[in-house]
Amino acid sequence: MAVLVAYASKHGSTEEIASFVADRLTSRGLEVACAEASEAVVDGADAAVILSGVYAGRWLGPATLFIREHADELRSMPLWLISSGPVGEDPPPVEELVHIGDLPEQLGAVEHWVVAGRIDADLLGFAERALVRALKVEVGDYRDWDEISACADAIADHLRS
Ligand SMILES: Cc1cc2nc3c(=O)[nH]c(=O)nc-3n(C[C@H](O)[C@H](O)[C@H](O)COP(=O)(O)O)c2cc1C
């Protein structure tokens, strides 16, 4: 069973999550290719996991472009979507933070998970830093690796059942 893990990441946090998920799936005996969305190849994949960092409520361009270009193939295979966004100890509700509409339903995704992300102020550009400061966003690494492991295990369980 060949699994494509495709990701879009502006500042590297989602890339690390994708790599972690890919390693976990590999350790469960799946054949995994992990690639940035603009370089990902769908041909030969039996299942796919697509991840994106969330900015101003939306997925990053390479992830949405990848989905637009490969929607038919993705619809024909087991598919999981992972949005990585919320930061802070007590972030606003997901509905206020992630606006990807009915994309999971359109693609027939098995699940769409929203997992916490990371903001490293040193990696931000000038405008991003100003925005984060103005919105009083709590910077830091809020990724929950136990939760991400559980997502990967749910994918592996599904594919190996
Ligand atoms: C300028 C800016 C805007 C953001 N907007 C959102 C948002 O609308 N919703 C959300 O859940 N997270 C938002 N985030 C948090 C990011 O999604 C989070 O930091 C994520 O881990 C970034 O992934 P990346 O490092 O792979 O790019 C924003 C972060 C920045 C710096």
Side-chain angles (χ1 to χ4, degrees), residues 80-95:
W80 288 263
L81 306 178
I82 301 180
S83 299
S84 171
V87 290
E89 291 301 338
D90 191 15
V94 162
E95 307 80 63

Side-chain angles (χ1 to χ4, degrees), residues 5-46:
V5 176
Y7 62 87
S9 177
K10 194 169 180 190
H11 293 302
S13 155
T14 311
E15 180 177 3
E16 290 174 6
I17 295 173
S19 173
F20 181 93
V21 168
D23 287 350
R24 188 97 184 172
L25 295 178
T26 303
S27 76
R28 293 285 305 270
L30 295 156
E31 185 191 324
V32 182
C34 181
E36 208 280 326
S38 60
E39 293 174 358
V41 176
V42 180
D43 284 355
D46 302 306

Side-chain angles (χ1 to χ4, degrees), residues 4 15 23-24 35-36 38 45 53 55 59 110 118 120 139 151:
L4 171 65
E15 180 177 3
D23 287 350
R24 188 97 184 172
E36 208 280 326
S38 60
Y55 287 82
W59 272 28
V110 180
R118 176 196 72 190
D120 179 343
V139 301
C151 294

Side-chain angles (χ1 to χ4, degrees), residues 91-161:
V94 162
E95 307 80 63
E96 292 177 24
L97 292 176
V98 182
H99 305 293
I100 64 166
D102 63 355
L103 187 68
E105 291 77 21
Q106 275 182 38
L107 294 171
V110 180
E111 291 280 358
H112 168 224
W113 289 301
V114 177
V115 300
R118 176 196 72 190
I119 293 184
D120 179 343
D122 292 341
L123 300 177
L124 302 182
F126 178 78
E128 286 181 327
R129 205 173 304 147
L131 186 64
V132 161
R133 211 177 296 132
L135 295 175
K136 298 191 168 53
V137 177
E138 291 168 75
V139 301
D141 190 348
Y142 295 91
R143 291 172 296 178
D144 179 340
W145 296 104
D146 289 339
E147 183 190 13
I148 295 163
S149 292
C151 294
D153 286 342
I155 294 168
D157 289 345
H158 182 106
L159 293 176
R160 295 184 60 83
S161 64

